[in-house]
Amino acid sequence: VVEPAALPGTRFAGTVQAKVQTALGFRVGGRLVTRAVHVGDLVRKGEVLAVLDSTAYELAVRSARAELSSAEATLASAVATEERQKTLLQSNTAAQAAVESAEQSREAADAGLVRARTALAKAEEQLSYTRILAEFDGVVTATGAEAGQVVSPGEAVVTVARPDERDAVVDIPEGVGGIVVGSRFTVSLQINPSVTASGAVREIAPSADAATRTRRVKIALEDPADTFR
């Protein structure tokens, strides 16, 4: 009868990954004109990462502005007509029905102005969606589209990771016991074993991989050196 036992000082190979990785994409579809970053580039919050062809969206904004100008002119004319009809009513030279009609026209023009302003705000918002901006300081870990490619809304174009919080991701055989959330590990670089960092297990996969029969374990690194990338 053979009983499995954990070997002292068992080593496992893994990779260093960012704890938080965000796949960024456009909220609207179109042809990708520029992708300003590549894998490994450091980016700052607010930096432009990619740009879509915005011609159609700029034309929509210009059309919405023209509609707003027309709505403002219509409202100004309706207000003037309403005031004129009220003045004529006071001098008994206009009927009450004409005043009520002028009031209804002014209300309709007022609603049209609100609708035009909303349409312009929507068009400007759609135009802003033709650019991808970095949500935080980080490093580009993957790209999903090249310039000239037509992308759909939500399609991942650039993946940015936070470099401040990193994990050592290790696939541990299912038979190895004694590893729980909070277990301590010492992590060293394969290229330079003298560079080490301490860490604690923060997540264990609930089930083993069907093919390799290993569980993915994520070890949160504590103050790792910059070489842990």
Side-chain angles (χ1 to χ4, degrees), residues 120-139:
L120 176 59
K122 181 179 180 180
E124 291 176 341
E125 184 179 12
Q126 292 287 318
L127 178 60
S128 69
Y129 292 159
T130 60
R131 299 193 305 165
I132 295 179
L133 304 180
E135 300 290 338
F136 48 81
D137 296 347
V139 59

Side-chain angles (χ1 to χ4, degrees), residues 82-100 103:
E82 180 185 13
E83 292 177 351
R84 183 167 57 253
Q85 290 296 330
K86 288 182 178 180
T87 301
L88 293 175
L89 179 63
Q90 291 176 357
S91 60
N92 294 324
T93 56
Q96 181 67 32
V99 176
E100 293 176 354
E103 290 178 349

Side-chain angles (χ1 to χ4, degrees), residues 6-225:
L7 297 177
T10 303
R11 293 176 176 269
F12 303 100
T15 58
V16 176
Q17 298 180 6
K19 182 178 180 180
V20 178
Q21 295 190 82
T22 304
L24 303 176
F26 295 101
R27 299 188 187 183
V28 294
R31 184 174 64 87
L32 183 62
V33 176
T34 304
R35 198 198 70 219
V37 294
H38 303 277
V39 175
D41 289 350
L42 298 176
V43 297
R44 297 291 182 183
K45 182 179 180 179
E47 182 178 343
V48 178
L49 306 182
V51 179
L52 282 182
D53 183 6
S54 59
T55 303
Y57 300 99
E58 291 174 354
L59 292 175
V61 170
R62 292 172 59 183
S63 176
R65 287 175 179 169
E67 292 292 339
L68 177 59
S69 298
S70 176
E72 289 174 344
T74 301
L75 177 60
S77 176
V79 170
T81 300
E82 180 185 13
E83 292 177 351
R84 183 167 57 253
Q85 290 296 330
K86 288 182 178 180
T87 301
L88 293 175
L89 179 63
Q90 291 176 357
S91 60
N92 294 324
T93 56
Q96 181 67 32
V99 176
E100 293 176 354
S101 178
E103 290 178 349
Q104 293 176 356
S105 298
R106 191 263 308 160
E107 292 176 354
D110 196 7
L113 178 61
V114 173
R115 184 169 57 251
R117 286 174 176 170
T118 303
L120 176 59
K122 181 179 180 180
E124 291 176 341
E125 184 179 12
Q126 292 287 318
L127 178 60
S128 69
Y129 292 159
T130 60
R131 299 193 305 165
I132 295 179
L133 304 180
E135 300 290 338
F136 48 81
D137 296 347
V139 59
V140 178
T141 58
T143 57
E146 300 293 336
Q149 181 177 339
V150 177
V151 297
S152 57
E155 181 178 349
V157 176
V158 179
T159 301
V160 180
R162 291 181 181 269
D164 50 350
E165 296 183 353
R166 282 162 281 178
D167 291 336
V169 181
V170 184
D171 293 328
I172 297 179
E174 190 176 17
V176 177
I179 299 177
V180 296
V181 174
S183 297
R184 305 290 302 179
F185 278 87
T186 299
V187 183
S188 61
L189 293 179
Q190 188 176 29
I191 193 173
N192 186 3
S194 63
V195 180
T196 61
S198 298
V201 175
R202 72 171 183 87
E203 180 182 315
I204 300 176
S207 60
D209 185 89
T212 62
R213 304 310 302 170
T214 58
R215 289 179 181 267
R216 176 147 294 187
V217 176
K218 295 183 178 180
I219 304 169
L221 299 178
E222 300 172 354
D223 297 326

